[in-house]
């Protein structure tokens, strides 16, 4: 008998999960419809944008993702402790990027004086929002529901877009985490949608190699679709790789990014050539394809997070100059 999802997820045992969500009847609702020839490829960008923005709002870190033509994969780390450091006002700021909130919350945020009973009620609401911002099911609801609504509006239809609730699988060891991440990042290669990881669009490995996520474009797109009220937050980078084990709490992935890239490249080459897609043997090693030495790649990798901070600052500067 199936168990409730809250009984399947134990953050105390493992914070890492592999998530899969598929289009109804596994049709290509995010790719090219083979029956009509119509392209829905732009929806892959919708999903990638939504994933990145929601990760920045929730206490959920992204390890890997791949958005395909009829499904997507996520590898996430649940970090509920992050919400403990957020003030009540920050909780409301994050929640109201997605939802208006009840009138009492709107009055509180506008600075209106509230009675003691009203303030106590707002405090209880904030407690509910704090818990929701750590919850994987709420993260997925905010992701899948918005994509389904916009796709149905575009197609002028109603009904299911996703075939069922998302599937989640706990990753119980570092080996299972790394192997799952490689599996996710190689999805486009296996599906013959790309020849190499760095040319695999809408994947985390492409974003790690050459960050190209456009924050202002994502905010504008999500706002036009009415699924984002505001976004006064920095963009959260993908969960970083930590080179070595240290005698202190470690937030990142206990693996070298350089080693991970080589692992993905090697794995993509040894996929059975009789399968639909694999990295051809004639392709040079991944760092050589990128035109980087080990030393140059180390600089690229260590400055990865700074690029997102620069992206955020540039976006804020553009908003101030336009105001």
């Amino acid at each position: 008998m199936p168990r409730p999802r809250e009984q399947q997820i134990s953050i105390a045992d493992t914070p890492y999960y592999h998530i899969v969500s598929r289009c109804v009847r596994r049709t290509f609702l995010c790719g090219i419809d083979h029956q009509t020839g119509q392209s829905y490829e732009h929806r892959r960008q919708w999903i990638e944008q939504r994933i990145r923005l929601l990760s920045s709002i929730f206490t959920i870190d992204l390890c890997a993702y791949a958005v395909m033509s009829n499904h997507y994969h996520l590898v996430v780390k649940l970090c509920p402790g992050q919400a403990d450091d957020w003030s009540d006002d920050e909780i409301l700021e994050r929640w109201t990027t997605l939802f208006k909130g009840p009138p009492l919350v709107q009055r509180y945020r506008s600075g209106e004086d509230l009675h003691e009973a009203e303030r106590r009620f707002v405090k209880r609401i904030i407690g509910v929002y704090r818990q929701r911002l750590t919850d994987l099911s709420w993260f997925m609801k905010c992701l899948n529901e918005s994509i389904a609504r916009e796709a149905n509006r575009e197609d002028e239809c109603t009904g299911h877009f996703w075939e069922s609730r998302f599937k989640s699988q706990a990753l119980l060891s570092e080996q299972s985490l790394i192997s799952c991440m490689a599996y996710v990042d190689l999805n486009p290669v296996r599906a013959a949608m790309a020849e190499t990881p760095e040319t695999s669009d809408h994947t985390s490995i492409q974003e790690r190699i050459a960050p190209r996520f456009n924050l202002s474009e994502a905010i504008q797109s999500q706002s036009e679709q009415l699924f984002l009220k505001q976004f006064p937050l920095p963009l959260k980078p993908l969960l970083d790789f930590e080179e070595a084990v240290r005698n202190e709490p470690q937030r990142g992935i206990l693996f070298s990014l350089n080693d991970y890239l080589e692992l993905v490249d090697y794995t993509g080459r040894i996929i059975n050539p009789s399968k639909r897609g694999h990295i051809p043997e004639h392709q040079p090693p991944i760092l050589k394809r990128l035109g980087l030495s080990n030393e140059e790649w180390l600089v690229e990798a260590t400055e990865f997070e700074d690029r997102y901070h620069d992206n955020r600052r540039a976006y804020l500067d553009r908003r101030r100059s336009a105001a």
Side-chain angles (χ1 to χ4, degrees):
M1 180 177 178
R3 291 185 298 166
R5 201 176 295 274
E6 62 267 17
Q7 295 180 15
Q8 300 178 37
I9 292 180
S10 174
I11 301 175
D13 294 327
T14 173
Y16 295 101
Y17 290 86
H18 174 213
I19 310 299
V20 183
S21 202
R22 298 185 182 279
C23 296
V24 65
R25 296 186 301 279
R26 304 196 179 189
T27 47
F28 290 85
L29 297 179
C30 297
I32 298 177
D33 188 325
H34 299 304
Q35 298 281 336
T36 64
Q38 186 169 353
S39 175
Y40 300 104
E41 285 282 330
H42 57 283
R43 293 176 181 172
R44 296 172 67 198
Q45 185 169 357
W46 292 356
I47 296 173
E48 184 176 19
Q49 289 174 341
R50 191 70 173 169
I51 289 169
R52 297 301 306 277
L53 295 181
L54 286 175
S55 174
S56 301
I57 296 168
F58 283 72
T59 65
I60 293 177
D61 290 347
L62 289 173
C63 304
Y65 64 84
V67 184
M68 308 294 286
S69 297
N70 63 355
H71 69 286
Y72 67 82
H73 293 266
L74 302 177
V75 179
V76 300
K77 181 181 181 183
L78 309 186
C79 308
Q82 292 177 7
D84 296 338
D85 298 328
W86 296 342
S87 66
D88 288 353
D89 286 342
E90 188 172 359
I91 292 291
L92 290 178
E93 181 180 56
R94 288 173 179 271
W95 187 257
T96 54
T97 61
L98 302 171
F99 306 99
K100 290 192 304 183
L104 194 57
V105 167
Q106 296 176 43
R107 290 170 52 200
Y108 172 83
R109 282 184 53 77
S110 67
E112 187 175 327
D113 288 335
L114 301 180
H115 299 301
E116 180 61 28
E118 291 176 322
R119 287 196 295 271
R120 287 198 301 269
F121 184 73
V122 169
K123 191 77 173 178
R124 287 199 297 272
I125 293 176
I126 291 171
V128 172
Y129 291 167
R130 189 182 298 273
Q131 190 280 326
R132 288 179 181 176
L133 288 171
T134 69
D135 189 275
L136 179 59
S137 290
W138 268 95
F139 176 92
M140 294 301 296
K141 168 184 168 63
C142 294
L143 171 56
N144 280 357
E145 183 178 304
S146 62
I147 299 300
R149 285 176 181 269
E150 183 62 17
N152 283 355
R153 185 199 63 77
E154 184 178 67
D155 292 341
E156 298 181 344
C157 70
T158 59
H160 292 289
F161 183 85
W162 305 106
E163 70 174 8
S164 63
R165 291 195 70 196
F166 67 93
K167 306 293 192 303
S168 64
Q169 176 187 24
L171 303 174
L172 302 175
S173 66
E174 291 176 15
Q175 178 180 338
S176 61
L177 171 62
I178 291 297
S179 61
C180 185
M181 289 177 60
Y183 168 81
V184 168
D185 278 328
L186 282 170
N187 250 249
V189 173
R190 287 198 310 276
M193 296 173 66
E195 192 171 82
T196 60
E198 65 269 24
T199 59
S200 301
D201 293 335
H202 309 295
T203 62
S204 54
I205 195 163
Q206 186 186 63
E207 185 68 11
R208 289 186 187 277
I209 291 170
R212 63 190 69 194
F213 185 82
N214 189 314
L215 178 59
S216 57
E217 182 181 306
I219 292 172
Q220 181 178 351
S221 172
Q222 294 289 304
S223 299
E224 289 174 352
Q225 294 172 6
L226 304 180
F227 294 121
L228 197 69
K229 309 297 181 186
Q230 55 180 339
F231 194 80
L233 305 169
L235 180 69
K236 184 189 291 184
L238 302 177
L239 191 62
D240 60 341
F241 286 82
E242 298 189 357
E243 297 281 336
V245 178
R246 299 188 295 273
N247 292 324
E248 58 186 59
Q250 292 188 269
R251 176 178 170 274
I253 302 165
L254 299 181
F255 209 68
S256 159
L257 179 55
N258 192 357
D259 289 344
Y260 176 71
L261 290 177
E262 292 179 350
L263 173 67
V264 171
D265 195 60
Y266 171 75
T267 306
R269 293 171 186 276
I270 62 175
I271 295 174
N272 190 332
S274 66
K275 298 295 184 182
R276 187 176 177 186
H278 65 285
I279 299 175
E281 284 296 329
H282 65 77
Q283 287 284 355
I286 188 166
L287 291 186
K288 190 172 182 180
R289 294 200 305 268
L290 299 176
L292 296 172
S293 67
N294 288 343
E295 293 75 16
E296 289 171 326
W297 174 251
L298 182 61
V299 173
E300 292 282 327
T302 54
E303 294 179 356
F304 177 74
E305 187 168 349
D306 292 338
R307 294 188 179 194
Y308 283 100
H309 291 291
D310 293 342
N311 188 322
R312 175 62 181 172
R313 282 194 293 269
Y315 167 70
L316 291 176
D317 289 343
R318 285 195 297 273
R319 284 194 62 182
R320 291 192 195 100
S321 60

